[in-house]
Amino acid sequence: MAINFEPIFSEMQNGPEKIKENFDKVNNGLLWGQSQQFLNLDGLNSNYTSYKIRNNGSEMHIGMYVTGDGRGSCYLPTSIAKKMGNTEIVGRTDNNNFGFMHINIDTGKCTFYKPEGSGMYIQALVPLIEH
């Protein structure tokens, strides 16, 4: 079914241009894409592991809760990992210690290190750059 917009636009001065201007104001790239899950979770609580990419491709938001012993790992798609401008991310454990996640930009593997067996929270904004 086709809709004829011509009668609507003929009544509006610069109708299509105004619609595009309004669309560009809404879609400025600063919105976030859908949450996506990390791949091959090992030692992670899958209920709290996700990342989102900003629509303009400038940064990534990571949110996760790492469980298990002192190490764990997961993978990001290499198409994203290769664009990362930061490969070390700090996390806070349930016992108020610090741990970190290292991201290998060539393989996408994210490896976690924490000093004890409590869970570790990571909330990070990571810049994405073109290599």
Side-chain angles (χ1 to χ4, degrees):
M1 177 175 130
I3 299 173
N4 183 3
F5 288 102
E6 189 55 40
I8 298 168
F9 290 146
S10 65
E11 298 290 322
M12 298 172 64
Q13 185 178 8
N14 300 325
E17 292 81 8
K18 287 184 186 263
I19 290 171
K20 183 179 180 329
E21 285 173 17
N22 288 334
F23 178 78
D24 288 344
K25 288 177 189 173
V26 172
N27 189 20
N28 61 6
L30 299 179
L31 302 173
W32 293 95
Q34 295 293 317
S35 286
Q36 300 178 58
Q37 293 295 312
F38 283 81
L39 309 173
N40 301 330
L41 303 174
D42 173 30
L44 299 174
N45 182 330
S46 62
N47 293 330
Y48 304 106
T49 57
S50 66
Y51 64 92
K52 292 181 179 183
I53 305 292
R54 195 175 279 249
N55 284 350
N56 66 0
S58 66
E59 63 186 331
M60 176 173 66
H61 175 263
I62 295 175
M64 61 176 49
Y65 182 65
V66 180
T67 57
D69 63 12
R71 290 179 173 249
S73 63
C74 65
Y75 287 84
L76 283 167
T78 55
S79 60
I80 295 170
K82 289 180 184 294
K83 295 181 180 180
M84 296 186 75
N86 183 9
T87 59
E88 300 289 334
I89 298 171
V90 175
R92 182 189 60 80
T93 69
D94 291 333
N95 293 332
N96 291 322
N97 286 315
F98 292 98
F100 67 94
M101 175 173 75
H102 173 77
I103 302 168
N104 182 319
I105 61 172
D106 292 323
T107 64
K109 184 175 184 179
C110 305
T111 307
F112 305 93
Y113 302 94
K114 51 194 178 85
E116 27 91 356
S118 72
M120 179 174 68
Y121 295 93
I122 293 176
Q123 291 284 329
L125 287 175
V126 179
L128 298 176
I129 57 177
E130 291 295 325
H131 289 279

